[in-house]
Amino acid sequence: MTDFSAIRSSYVQAAYAKASDAKPAAEPKPSGADFSSMVADAAQKAVETVRTGDSMAIAGLQGQAGLQQVVEATMAMESTVQISVALRDKLVEAYQDVMRMPI
C-alpha cells in the first residue's frame, strides 16, 4: 500500500521549492484583451485555418488524407474566407460612413 502522506509532503515541498525559485511577475496583464490584439489573434487563426485547408487538399491529392478530412478542412477554410470577406466589407462600410460624417 502506498503512503499518500509521504507523496503529498514531497509534492508540497517540490511546489514550495519551485515557487521560491520563481521570479516575481513584473506587472499583471489586464484581464480584457485590447481590440487590436483580438483582431490580430482572429486574423492569425483565420490564416492558420486557410493554410490547414490548403495543406489538407494537397495531402488529399497525394493520397495521404481521406476524402472526409479533405472535405472538412475545405469547408472550414471556405467558411473562414466567407466570414473574413464579410467582416472586411463591414469594416470598409463603417470607414466610409465615418468619412461621410460632417465635422
Side-chain angles (χ1 to χ4, degrees):
M1 183 179 259
T2 307
D3 183 18
F4 291 110
S5 61
I7 294 171
R8 180 185 166 124
S9 66
S10 297
Y11 175 76
V12 170
Q13 288 174 355
Y16 177 74
K18 185 176 183 181
S20 64
D21 291 342
K23 296 178 183 176
E27 191 172 303
K29 206 173 191 181
S31 61
D34 60 342
F35 182 72
S36 62
S37 65
M38 182 183 72
V39 170
D41 290 342
Q44 181 63 33
K45 288 178 185 176
V47 168
E48 186 62 36
T49 301
V50 171
R51 287 182 181 162
T52 301
D54 285 340
S55 64
M56 189 61 68
I58 291 170
L61 290 172
Q62 294 173 345
Q64 298 171 350
L67 181 61
Q68 183 175 354
Q69 292 173 325
V70 172
V71 169
E72 288 173 356
T74 304
M75 294 299 289
M77 180 178 64
E78 181 182 0
S79 174
T80 300
V81 169
Q82 287 177 352
I83 290 170
S84 298
V85 168
L87 180 61
R88 182 211 52 197
D89 292 345
K90 289 290 184 181
L91 287 172
V92 168
E93 182 182 336
Y95 174 77
Q96 289 173 345
D97 287 345
V98 168
M99 294 307 292
R100 279 188 235 129
M101 286 183 181
I103 296 179

